Amino acid sequence: GESVGLHLPTLSVQEGDNSIINCAYSNSASDYFIWYKQESGKGPQFIIDIRSNMDKRQGQRVTVLLNKTVKHLSLQIAATQPGDSAVYFCAENTDAGNMLTFGGGTRLMVKP
Amino acid sequence: DAGVIQSPRHEVTEMGQEVTLRCKPISGHDYLFWYRQTMMRGLELLIYFNNNVPIDDSGMPEDRFSAKMPNASFSTLKIQPSEPRDSAVYFCASSYRGTQYFGPGTRLLVL
């Protein structure tokens, strides 16, 4: 029979377009957030992080926006490339230690 | 730095056999995490250590799973006896000041 698994939201974009991946986090006390990229057959790879005292942080082709009022995090990828195709996870730090709570992930597909 | 190192990268075993997964964290990191990832359940935290001491093992599925960290540069996750439902990718991650860095994972298949 057909296997049932997690249904990952999928974002399909054209190469060269900008991508926006959204994440709603759960704990208003979270003070540190990370975006990870996971390519097929590999472990999650750190992309960019942001602390709760910031609203925006930019990296190379990526920008993370944090809206604490509505507990929303987004990852913007400029000029999306085929190599950006992957599953993207947001994660929040919810305690004083280093434990992270991960979101379910969004699959980004880049059409050439 | 070589990053987090895991071995083996792939493991195929038969039901009932003992499986040992190994992890070398990034030097200087004081936290180590073991995760399991499946299509059905996504990424699950199994256990984590701080300065070699287990802090939270509430994610360990059952007594068949055990983890140790005898020193700051080595950890093992053991499954005994293994069952087909343990088939998954097991990731080790280490961190210092919040950012976790993941290893490449061990893909386990229990027949």
Side-chain angles (χ1 to χ4, degrees):
Chain A
E2 184 177 349
S3 63
V4 178
L6 284 178
H7 173 67
L8 288 180
T10 298
L11 175 64
S12 185
V13 300
Q14 202 69 40
E15 181 179 359
D17 287 351
N18 296 334
S19 303
I20 300 177
I21 301 171
N22 297 303
C23 177
Y25 63 91
S26 58
N27 192 333
S28 57
S30 294
D31 59 2
Y32 180 57
F33 305 87
I34 305 174
W35 279 101
Y36 286 92
K37 171 187 180 183
Q38 186 175 22
E39 297 175 88
S40 180
K42 297 183 179 180
Q45 177 187 9
F46 171 87
I47 301 175
I48 191 168
D49 59 359
I50 188 168
R51 298 206 175 266
S52 59
N53 61 351
M54 301 173 69
D55 297 323
K56 178 179 179 179
R57 189 163 189 223
Q58 288 185 293
Q60 187 177 17
R61 281 202 308 118
V62 294
T63 300
V64 55
L65 298 177
L66 174 62
N67 185 331
K68 295 181 286 295
T69 302
V70 294
K71 294 190 288 186
H72 184 267
L73 196 66
S74 68
L75 177 70
Q76 301 179 1
I77 305 173
T80 313
Q81 303 169 359
D84 296 326
S85 294
V87 176
Y88 290 81
F89 294 94
C90 65
E92 60 185 298
N93 179 233
T94 53
D95 61 23
N98 282 218
M99 198 169 75
L100 295 174
T101 300
F102 284 84
T106 296
R107 185 180 304 280
L108 176 65
M109 297 177 62
V110 182
K111 297 176 288 186
Chain B
D1 199 311
V4 175
I5 299 172
Q6 291 187 248
S7 64
R9 294 294 309 278
H10 302 273
E11 178 83 25
V12 180
T13 191
E14 293 187 342
M15 182 174 64
Q17 296 298 306
E18 177 180 296
V19 175
T20 299
L21 311 181
R22 297 172 175 80
C23 175
K24 176 177 168 54
I26 294 172
S27 177
H29 284 192
D30 55 352
Y31 281 82
L32 184 140
F33 304 81
W34 282 101
Y35 291 89
R36 177 172 68 177
Q37 187 177 44
T38 62
M39 288 294 293
M40 292 291 291
R41 302 172 68 92
L43 193 63
E44 302 174 277
L45 176 66
L46 300 177
I47 184 172
Y48 76 98
F49 297 82
N50 177 218
N51 292 322
N52 313 338
V53 177
I55 302 301
D56 185 347
D57 66 353
S58 59
M60 296 285 260
E62 48 198 270
D63 292 345
R64 297 185 298 105
F65 285 68
S66 63
K68 294 181 180 179
M69 192 166 186
N71 57 62
S73 59
F74 184 66
S75 177
T76 59
L77 178 68
K78 186 175 294 186
I79 309 173
Q80 167 63 19
S82 58
E83 297 183 1
R85 60 191 167 126
D86 302 329
S87 298
V89 182
Y90 291 81
F91 290 105
C92 175
S94 69
S95 75
Y96 177 69
R97 293 186 177 177
T99 307
Q100 292 184 23
Y101 294 89
F102 284 75
T106 295
R107 187 172 297 272
L108 174 65
L109 177 61
V110 183
L111 303 173

